[in-house]
Amino acid sequence: MNTRNLLVSCVKGVGRVQLHRPHVLNALNRELIRELVQVLEEMDQQDEIHVILISGGDRFFAAGADIDEMADASAVDMLVTDPFSDWDRIRRISKPMIASVGGYALGGGCELAMICDMIIASEKAQFGQPEINLGVMPGAGGTQRLTRAVGKAKAMEMVLTGRPITAREAFQAGLINRVVPTELLENESMKLAQEVAAKAPVALRLAKQAVLRSFDTTLKEGLDYEQKLFYLLFATHDQEEGMKAFKEKRPPRFFGK
Ligand code: HXC
């Protein structure tokens, strides 16, 4: 697919999407988000892609929604154009998504990273929800996913002061999976993505769904849901293969069937 704001490739089961609007620190305008949704949905359908890795530049992942684009909008413009409908499509991607964050992940940039299932960051990365400084508030998950990840105290502080936190603080708060030296970010992100990409694809999708369900439901309903998905996996070839390979003491060969 031809895109103006993304660099897209596929390496060994990993679909790579690099945000690429460097002159504005990857500010997320409507066009970029539309392209991103389209690419992610295509990757979600492609059998050779098992995991999606989203990255930005060395100094910035994304500095938030494009302020120039939003500045003159009215409430009615917002309601009619409904920019968050595109973000809802990102949250429905069923394959695991990993964010590789090399610098600023602010506002919509932090929210995009948080839609991903895992976040790996360089020592230079910063995570923040600075919308309050613009007279608004987060709108794509910054009050919800952030709070679930770091708890009320830290989320309130970030959202009400707009002050970003460092990658180390984000790690300690449980927002991200790991912090790596800047020069290792690309390799370490790819290593994690390929480790996941080697697993059984159907099990990956259902496991992702089950973990996400835990945020929306009671423990009892979540456990019932988990059980059903577990039983369903016994309809796959990959379950037979995974268990057979274990008994034969060899690595499994998964086909996503
Ligand atoms: C549009 C942006 C931008 C943004 C940076 N730029 N962020 N343009 N929208 N979100 C532009 C600048 O205007 C500037 O353009 C160029 O990128 C370089 O930015 P500088 O500010 O000169 O860089 P620096 O001094 O290094 O500061 C980096 C920064 C700062 C700390 C990240 O740019 C900043 O605070 N950006 C805004 C961050 C923010 O408030 N994000 C939340 C947006 S609201 P010129 O033409 O001057 O070179 C949001 C709502 C989410 O995200 C809702 C869900 C979609």
Side-chain angles (χ1 to χ4, degrees):
M1 184 191 150
N2 277 336
T3 60
R4 277 159 42 105
N5 305 287
L6 305 173
L7 304 175
V8 179
S9 61
C10 172
V11 184
K12 293 188 190 156
V14 179
R16 304 183 62 172
V17 186
Q18 187 183 350
L19 311 175
H20 192 63
R21 275 190 93 208
H23 59 292
V24 283
L25 316 188
N26 289 341
L28 305 167
N29 64 358
R30 195 80 202 259
E31 183 184 67
L32 185 153
I33 291 292
R34 285 227 170 97
E35 288 179 355
L36 182 62
V37 168
Q38 221 178 324
V39 166
L40 294 178
E41 286 180 347
E42 278 178 23
M43 287 183 167
D44 215 23
Q45 296 298 320
Q46 285 167 354
D47 287 346
E48 64 275 22
I49 291 178
H50 301 166
V51 171
I52 298 167
L53 181 63
I54 303 180
S55 63
D58 284 349
R59 215 169 64 76
F60 41 86
F61 178 72
D66 190 315
I67 298 169
D68 291 334
E69 199 178 62
M70 285 187 301
D72 297 325
S74 67
V76 174
D77 293 335
M78 281 291 173
L79 275 174
V80 170
T81 57
D82 191 14
F84 297 130
S85 56
D86 288 328
W87 289 73
D88 284 339
R89 287 166 63 183
I90 300 178
R91 106 180 128 80
R92 284 196 284 273
I93 297 299
S94 66
K95 291 178 184 171
M97 296 196 290
I98 299 174
S100 174
V101 177
Y104 294 116
L106 302 179
C110 187
E111 291 169 316
L112 177 60
M114 290 191 295
I115 294 183
C116 293
D117 304 301
M118 290 189 272
I119 304 175
I120 180 161
S122 86
E123 287 158 334
K124 284 192 319 208
Q126 291 189 36
F127 296 84
Q129 298 292 159
E131 290 89 341
I132 202 79
N133 299 325
L134 300 170
V136 290
M137 59 176 275
T143 65
Q144 300 301 303
R145 289 194 184 91
L146 181 67
T147 308
R148 283 163 172 77
V150 305
K152 177 185 164 190
K154 194 138 207 96
M156 279 291 186
E157 192 171 333
M158 289 174 70
V159 170
L160 300 185
T161 68
R163 231 184 301 116
I165 58 174
T166 63
R168 246 174 232 291
E169 287 172 297
F171 175 71
Q172 277 156 7
L175 180 62
I176 69 176
N177 293 77
R178 67 183 72 149
V179 186
V180 299
T182 302
E183 65 280 10
L184 297 184
L185 178 65
E186 196 177 330
N187 272 352
E188 291 296 318
S189 303
M190 217 26 208
K191 234 197 289 176
L192 178 63
Q194 282 179 346
E195 181 183 349
V196 178
K199 312 298 180 195
V202 183
L204 283 180
R205 285 184 189 226
L206 298 193
K208 166 174 172 164
Q209 255 180 47
V211 173
L212 289 179
R213 181 61 70 96
S214 73
F215 292 106
D216 297 333
T217 191
T218 62
L219 179 61
K220 183 185 173 308
E221 280 170 9
L223 290 170
D224 287 346
Y225 186 67
E226 179 188 79
Q227 286 168 10
K228 298 290 181 305
L229 297 187
F230 183 83
Y231 297 151
L232 183 60
L233 286 171
F234 283 72
T236 63
H237 169 274
D238 286 346
Q239 172 270 324
E240 270 175 51
E241 164 62 10
M243 295 190 180
K244 192 158 168 250
F246 174 80
K247 288 201 290 183
E248 292 171 2
K249 301 190 187 304
R250 61 170 174 83
R253 285 186 302 272
F254 293 127
F255 289 100
K257 304 270 181 239

